Amino acid sequence: DVIEWSRDKLWYQPQFMLGGHSLGGMAAGTYAAAHPLQVNGLVLVAPVVSGPALRRRIPLPFRIWWRMRGEVRPKLLGMNPYSWEFIKSGWAYNLLASAGRLNMPILIVGAQKDILIRPRLLRKLYARIHHDQKEIVIIPQAKHGFDQKWEMKSLEDVVSDWIGRI
């Protein structure tokens, strides 16, 4: 929607780099797989790799509680508050299924202490990408939200370094 909105702006360019975090990473990856000629580079930060896998990572009692409350503030997960509908919207997508169509330079950044998007799942996504310019970095001790200043600084350093090399 943002890309479509920007098409008539003076600053719009037909090719661009795209990035996203968590469900935004899944959205960015899904868009890049569907429009590979538009995306010059892709940065996926703790992306939801598979909606069904994410659903399985959230225990059933927690999902029920979350649904009844409508929103939770899961600090223990290292995340900002999210609505139940927002999380549920990501369950229909599967970036693993479209990973073979990602034919642009790709950086995947994960968090070692992420209990929703485990580094193992990010490595599985990485293995399914066939582009030569792909990289995966797992930031030690970081959590999913990258909310701590040192986590954000580490993330910034990794992304800046990668952009400077592609």
Side-chain angles (χ1 to χ4, degrees):
D1 288 344
V2 172
I3 293 165
E4 194 58 41
W5 167 83
S6 69
R7 287 186 195 281
D8 64 350
K9 307 297 183 235
L10 292 175
W11 46 262
Y12 176 80
Q13 295 183 13
Q15 293 182 318
F16 46 83
M17 293 190 77
L18 193 57
H21 171 255
S22 195
L23 282 173
M26 180 185 284
T30 300
Y31 184 90
H35 305 91
L37 298 178
Q38 283 186 297
V39 181
N40 287 336
L42 182 62
V43 177
L44 303 175
V45 179
V48 173
V49 174
S50 161
L54 174 63
R55 185 175 188 192
R56 287 190 300 272
R57 292 290 303 158
I58 303 171
L60 180 60
F62 191 76
R63 287 196 318 256
I64 292 169
W65 180 69
W66 199 338
R67 183 177 179 192
M68 291 176 72
R69 289 195 62 189
E71 177 182 283
V72 293
R73 299 180 183 276
K75 289 192 185 242
L76 118 106
L77 301 178
M79 297 168 42
N80 292 319
Y82 290 108
S83 75
W84 168 255
E85 291 302 318
F86 176 70
I87 294 299
K88 193 172 91 171
S89 71
W91 294 348
Y93 298 93
N94 188 347
L95 196 50
L96 287 174
S98 58
R101 295 193 312 268
L102 296 172
N103 62 357
M104 66 285 299
I106 298 175
L107 171 65
I108 300 172
V109 183
Q112 181 189 25
K113 300 285 185 176
D114 192 333
I115 66 172
L116 291 177
I117 313 300
R118 304 298 298 162
R120 173 182 49 79
L121 196 55
L122 296 179
R123 288 184 189 97
K124 190 174 182 179
L125 173 64
Y126 178 83
R128 291 191 182 185
I129 297 168
H130 304 298
H131 196 273
D132 291 340
Q133 279 187 284
K134 63 179 181 176
E135 186 173 338
I136 185 168
V137 176
I138 306 298
I139 298 178
Q141 304 302 314
K143 291 184 180 177
H144 182 76
F146 293 90
D147 293 327
Q148 301 295 317
K149 285 184 181 185
W150 69 267
E151 291 171 321
M152 187 55 71
K153 175 70 170 121
S154 296
L155 177 59
E156 181 183 322
D157 290 347
V158 167
V159 173
S160 294
D161 178 63
W162 181 78
I163 289 173
R165 288 185 282 114
I166 63 162

